[in-house]
Amino acid sequence: MATRIPPTIPKPPERAPERDDGGTVLLERKPERTKPPQMHQVVLLNDDYTPMEFVVVVIQEFFSKDRETATQIMLKIHLDGKGVCGVYSKDVAATKVDQVTEAARKAGHPLQCVSEPLDG
Ligand code: TYC
């Protein structure tokens, strides 16, 4: 009896499964490039009651500015109505706002501090 030769079925080209560093099989690779996180500026607002000295100390302590720089920022806020004290990731900016607001309330001052997303 003649031996039947099975038809050869062409196989798709083999490709080893890709793995990440933790040994997990990846079905799809994520895009190589990720956008840098959106940054947020922390802004102090002027008011008629918070003492200038308190604002200078807040800017020095919470935004790591030297006394001269802190004084310049405070005067800018006093004259223009608002001023940027620093630029941070969203979470860090929110923490700065909370810390400044808490310090102002504790001292009995109405100082306002807000975070604003930066475009780009
Ligand atoms: N305008 C306030 C005053 O004359 C000083 C001040 C500056 C208050 C900056 C708030 O964010 C501020 N005492």
Side-chain angles (χ1 to χ4, degrees), residues 44-92:
L44 281 182
L45 307 182
N46 188 37
D47 65 73
D48 293 337
Y49 305 102
T50 304
M52 289 183 174
E53 175 61 21
F54 181 83
V55 178
V56 171
V57 171
V58 159
I59 296 170
Q60 283 183 266
E61 290 196 356
F62 294 105
F63 302 98
S64 306
K65 307 296 188 200
D66 62 34
R67 184 146 182 105
E68 265 184 44
T69 306
T71 303
Q72 284 169 8
I73 295 171
M74 181 281 295
L75 285 174
K76 192 233 177 255
I77 301 165
H78 179 72
L79 295 172
D80 297 352
K82 64 187 215 169
V84 178
C85 295
V87 176
Y88 307 94
S89 67
K90 188 177 183 181
D91 285 3
V92 173

Side-chain angles (χ1 to χ4, degrees), residues 3-9:
T3 312
R4 269 193 58 209
I5 300 162
T8 50
I9 302 162

